[in-house]
Amino acid sequence: VPVATIFDVAERAGVSIKTVSLVVNGQPNVSMKTRERVMKAVAELGYRPNYSARSLAGARSFLIGLFYDNPIPSYVTAVQMGAVACCRRRNYHLLAEPIDSSIEDVDMHIANLLTALRPDGLILTPLVSDNEIAMKRIEAFGTPYVRIAPGADRARSAHVLMSEIGAAETMTQHLIELGHRKIGFVKGHPQHGASHQRLEGFTRVMQAAGLSVDPDFLVQGDFSFQSGFDCAEKLLTAKSKRPTAIFSSNDEMALGAMSYAHRHGLSIPSDLSIAGFDDSPSAKVVWPPLTTIRQPIFEMAEAAAEMLIDGKTDPDPTGVRPFRVLDFQLIVRDSTGPAPR
Amino acid sequence: VPVATIFDVAERAGVSIKTVSLVVNGQPNVSMKTRERVMKAVAELGYRPNYSARSLAGARSFLIGLFYDNPIPSYVTAVQMGAVACCRRRNYHLLAEPIDSSIEDVDMHIANLLTALRPDGLILTPLVSDNEIAMKRIEAFGTPYVRIAPGADRARSAHVLMSEIGAAETMTQHLIELGHRKIGFVKGHPQHGASHQRLEGFTRVMQAAGLSVDPDFLVQGDFSFQSGFDCAEKLLTAKSKRPTAIFSSNDEMALGAMSYAHRHGLSIPSDLSIAGFDDSPSAKVVWPPLTTIRQPIFEMAEAAAEMLIDGKTDPDPTGVRPFRVLDFQLIVRDSTGPAPR
DNA sequence: CTGAAAGCGCTTACAG
DNA sequence: CTGAAAGCGCTTACAG
């Protein structure tokens, strides 16, 4: 199918292709008159610049890569929708790159993508945002990147996050206010830096309230439903001392814990309160609906894409990298209630 | 960052760039000796062909576009993972393009993508796979496309599907075997062609079993959790005659129906059986676990990408378009049981 | 089986 | 404010 090129536009508008290029790219220094003539020709011919040619000739590819490695579909989808929303407004496109960060070929995948496609920027979501190999490779190549919810070493790159600690503190406070004293905590995936912070928030508030954190009440999950189920078993199986509430580092594991409780005849929240983290769509779906923390995932991804496209990723003169902090929100539903007795 | 080009490789291997191009693209007609010399140089320099240059000079962009408009994250993610799996093997990349097919600018989005990025092929998933405007525009441009689960007009394009009718028949049979006679059916999104077929399968088996399909037992949903909730209300509110089982056109609505049942003290499956369609991750998560149909979504997307990359989308001499049929599977869990009384 | 050369559709110094 | 021209890194007839 024949498509209008920059030459066709130039001819129709009676200018050189240079001028067309300036207009199409929104550069200043073109007279109003000329600009209008060009825009008219563009519209009439339905001209759209060829990305490959642009990328080859110029410094931009108009492509943003999104690397993700997160087993939760709702998270992945929300990130993507947010990033695409921004890309659309700016005429960029999004390359979806699922990464298995457990595999060593993260390195090769990334090298491939960078040298072959030359994206203008990269968004890294957990667990990739804490992946040393990935960051090293990207930095060596010099492509700008912004991390979403980095777990550590924040100064290393531009990033967008919410206060994981604050959110965990808020939830813990909520449980304590309901009268819970023995609270079990289900940790997230060990490589997910942000979930260490969630644990920290939990611990801080417990200690501030004068409540000891029993090591038996701290169990290691991996964000999966199954691990939530298993952790609940560990927490609830010791009859002598069992928690009256479980705070899980994400919703998926909270659902697993809930499923365990159901199977063993515990009713929620009268026997056991359960709280999650994420506000995934299933949080509203389960029975009873889950008390959780709303993460502004869509907005975080949107902000990340924006920083990239605006070129706002370099450190300022004092060496500080740009970052954006978005707000979380405690969502109280029916899965948490007053402590029994 | 300086990167090796085809000239660097040619120089190092002592051949012309033409030869390098042939080798890199796996063309025949290069002597074993030359081929090896080139491959060695490629490896030593870490050469990776630039996609923009390739796309501009040649006929291929090595890009596949995935258009989707489906509110269910697990569906979207599965499709994407399947498509990416195939793309990776073949050195293609996936452009993620969420489409709001209710909006009229579907047309412009697609035109933009096609003329600007020149993808080598397009995958359409519901509801885009039944979108007339989208198909017209793509056909006008001449880009190969394959539809996943097209609802109608199958001959129009290459496609991959599973037997929606057969799956619905199987599920309906399952319910009848459990003794259910009054079965409510929750229809899917009206623009989702495949869900018309699910209704057809349901109707067929009901009639074959000599059971009338009460029009009051057919309610219109839109695939959302909320609509499932509302439909359950409609079905269960008439006290005189209420179904003993509900067959929902997707899992999400089945979960909504389940939530309604819970809120109104109906226990599942002893008072009411509920069946879904999809086998989404939440089907295992809810309580009780949901009886459903497993759709091979990942595999369907993988097959679609494969057809595109293999160039197997044109009609054969007799005019038949290629298509692939994958198998569904009935997954019986605890949400369906013997009919009450 | 392999070379030399044109050309894909842009951007961007270099002039004016 | 605008032109003429080089060049980005490939593919692909055209020759041999």
Side-chain angles (χ1 to χ4, degrees):
Chain A
V1 179
V3 164
T5 72
I6 197 171
F7 287 94
D8 302 322
V9 176
E11 190 178 359
R12 185 172 197 113
V15 298
S16 77
I17 61 165
K18 162 73 178 297
T19 305
V20 175
S21 179
L22 289 179
V23 172
V24 166
N25 288 295
Q27 306 279 10
N29 299 340
V30 180
S31 69
M32 219 21 193
K33 208 179 307 177
T34 310
R35 186 180 298 278
E36 273 166 9
R37 278 224 311 286
V38 171
M39 305 242 279
K40 185 152 166 285
V42 165
E44 287 169 354
L45 294 170
Y47 170 71
R48 294 178 183 85
N50 179 310
Y51 277 60
S52 295
R54 261 184 156 170
S55 170
L56 189 57
R60 294 183 297 174
S61 68
F62 295 90
L63 253 23
I64 298 284
L66 170 66
F67 290 108
Y68 58 92
D69 175 18
N70 182 312
I72 314 295
S74 57
Y75 187 93
V76 172
T77 307
V79 166
Q80 223 168 86
M81 299 301 254
V84 167
C86 177
C87 286
R88 286 248 162 109
R89 287 195 294 270
R90 313 290 293 270
N91 265 306
Y92 271 67
H93 287 271
L94 192 73
L95 253 7
E97 298 287 333
I99 289 285
D100 185 350
S101 50
S102 61
I103 300 296
E104 203 56 31
D105 64 1
V106 184
D107 199 41
M108 215 197 55
H109 270 321
I110 295 185
N112 267 330
L113 185 83
L114 292 179
T115 63
L117 253 6
R118 313 277 181 135
D120 292 340
L122 259 22
I123 300 175
L124 269 46
T125 69
L127 285 26
V128 191
S129 50
D130 291 319
N131 186 307
E132 181 59 30
I133 298 176
M135 289 188 281
K136 271 235 184 68
R137 171 61 76 170
I138 296 168
E139 286 159 6
F141 202 83
T143 304
Y145 71 104
V146 4
R147 288 184 292 163
I148 289 181
D153 202 4
R154 282 179 46 187
R156 179 166 184 170
S157 75
H159 55 276
V160 11
L161 43 65
M162 52 160 240
S163 170
E164 308 277 346
I165 294 181
E169 285 176 347
T170 302
M171 179 62 84
T172 309
Q173 195 59 47
H174 164 71
L175 293 172
I176 290 176
E177 278 163 12
L178 286 170
H180 295 281
R181 294 294 169 265
K182 294 185 289 182
I183 305 178
F185 187 88
V186 183
K187 299 195 257 184
H189 193 292
Q191 286 172 41
H192 184 247
S195 65
H196 298 315
Q197 298 167 9
R198 294 175 195 169
L199 172 58
E200 188 178 336
F202 169 72
T203 313
R204 276 197 200 172
V205 169
M206 288 294 278
Q207 289 174 343
L211 302 170
S212 66
V213 177
D214 187 328
D216 288 352
F217 285 179
L218 254 38
V219 288
Q220 181 70 57
D222 66 4
F223 282 152
S224 70
F225 181 84
Q226 184 62 47
S227 79
F229 188 97
D230 296 343
C231 287
E233 180 160 37
K234 274 183 214 141
L235 287 170
L236 299 171
T237 224
K239 297 229 174 65
S240 55
K241 51 168 189 182
R242 38 157 77 170
T244 62
I246 295 180
F247 178 10
S248 162
S249 298
N250 78 345
D251 285 353
E252 193 72 9
M253 296 193 296
L255 301 188
M258 222 176 230
S259 168
Y260 179 87
H262 279 131
R263 259 172 232 222
H264 292 268
L266 292 171
S267 83
I268 301 170
S270 54
D271 296 328
L272 178 72
S273 284
I274 295 187
F277 199 107
D278 273 354
D279 197 25
S280 65
S282 19
K284 298 186 258 318
V285 167
V286 285
W287 188 258
L290 187 68
T291 292
T292 188
I293 295 286
R294 190 184 105 81
Q295 283 208 72
I297 305 174
F298 182 98
E299 292 80 359
M300 289 168 84
E302 204 175 12
E306 204 166 274
M307 291 170 78
L308 249 13
I309 297 178
D310 287 338
K312 300 238 166 26
T313 55
D314 290 329
D316 68 16
T318 71
V320 176
R321 297 269 183 186
F323 62 91
R324 302 243 331 244
V325 182
L326 302 189
D327 290 332
F328 62 85
Q329 199 184 340
L330 170 67
I331 310 278
V332 177
R333 297 203 180 90
D334 302 337
S335 69
T336 51
R341 214 176 323 162
Chain B
V1 178
V3 164
T5 72
I6 197 170
F7 287 94
D8 301 323
V9 176
E11 188 177 2
R12 186 172 197 114
V15 299
S16 76
I17 60 164
K18 162 74 178 297
T19 305
V20 176
S21 178
L22 288 178
V23 172
V24 167
N25 288 293
Q27 306 278 9
N29 299 340
V30 180
S31 71
M32 217 26 191
K33 207 177 309 174
T34 309
R35 184 179 301 277
E36 272 166 8
R37 277 223 312 285
V38 171
M39 305 242 279
K40 186 152 166 286
V42 165
E44 287 168 356
L45 295 171
Y47 170 70
R48 294 178 183 85
N50 178 309
Y51 276 59
S52 295
R54 261 184 157 171
S55 171
L56 189 57
R60 293 181 300 172
S61 67
F62 295 90
L63 251 25
I64 298 284
L66 170 65
F67 289 108
Y68 58 92
D69 175 19
N70 183 312
I72 314 296
S74 57
Y75 187 92
V76 171
T77 308
V79 166
Q80 219 166 88
M81 298 301 252
V84 167
C86 178
C87 286
R88 286 248 161 111
R89 288 195 294 270
R90 312 292 291 273
N91 265 305
Y92 271 68
H93 287 272
L94 193 72
L95 255 6
E97 298 288 334
I99 290 285
D100 185 350
S101 49
S102 61
I103 300 295
E104 203 57 29
D105 65 359
V106 185
D107 199 41
M108 215 197 55
H109 270 322
I110 296 185
N112 267 330
L113 185 84
L114 293 179
T115 63
L117 254 5
R118 312 280 181 133
D120 292 340
L122 259 21
I123 300 176
L124 270 45
T125 70
L127 285 25
V128 191
S129 50
D130 291 321
N131 186 306
E132 180 60 30
I133 298 176
M135 289 189 280
K136 272 235 181 69
R137 171 61 76 170
I138 297 169
E139 286 161 4
F141 202 84
T143 304
Y145 71 103
V146 4
R147 288 184 292 164
I148 289 182
D153 202 4
R154 282 179 46 188
R156 179 165 183 169
S157 76
H159 56 274
V160 11
L161 43 65
M162 53 160 238
S163 171
E164 307 277 346
I165 293 181
E169 285 176 348
T170 302
M171 180 61 84
T172 309
Q173 194 61 47
H174 165 70
L175 293 172
I176 290 175
E177 278 164 13
L178 286 169
H180 295 281
R181 295 294 169 262
K182 293 185 289 182
I183 305 177
F185 186 88
V186 182
K187 299 195 257 184
H189 192 292
Q191 285 172 43
H192 184 247
S195 66
H196 299 316
Q197 298 167 11
R198 293 176 195 168
L199 172 59
E200 186 178 337
F202 169 72
T203 313
R204 276 196 200 171
V205 169
M206 288 294 278
Q207 288 173 344
L211 301 171
S212 65
V213 177
D214 188 327
D216 288 351
F217 285 0
L218 253 41
V219 287
Q220 181 70 56
D222 65 5
F223 281 153
S224 71
F225 181 83
Q226 185 60 48
S227 78
F229 188 96
D230 297 342
C231 287
E233 180 160 36
K234 272 182 215 142
L235 287 169
L236 299 172
T237 225
K239 298 230 173 67
S240 56
K241 49 167 190 182
R242 39 157 77 172
T244 62
I246 294 180
F247 178 10
S248 161
S249 299
N250 78 345
D251 284 354
E252 194 72 9
M253 296 193 296
L255 301 187
M258 223 176 229
S259 169
Y260 180 87
H262 280 131
R263 259 171 231 223
H264 293 268
L266 292 171
S267 84
I268 301 170
S270 54
D271 296 327
L272 177 73
S273 284
I274 295 187
F277 200 108
D278 273 354
D279 198 24
S280 64
S282 19
K284 297 186 258 314
V285 166
V286 284
W287 188 260
L290 188 67
T291 293
T292 189
I293 296 287
R294 190 183 106 83
Q295 282 209 74
I297 305 174
F298 182 98
E299 292 81 358
M300 289 168 84
E302 202 174 15
E306 204 167 274
M307 291 169 78
L308 249 15
I309 297 177
D310 286 339
K312 299 237 166 25
T313 55
D314 292 328
D316 68 15
T318 71
V320 177
R321 297 269 181 186
F323 63 91
R324 302 240 335 240
V325 182
L326 302 190
D327 290 333
F328 62 87
Q329 199 183 339
L330 171 67
I331 311 278
V332 178
R333 297 204 180 91
D334 302 336
S335 69
T336 52
R341 212 175 320 163

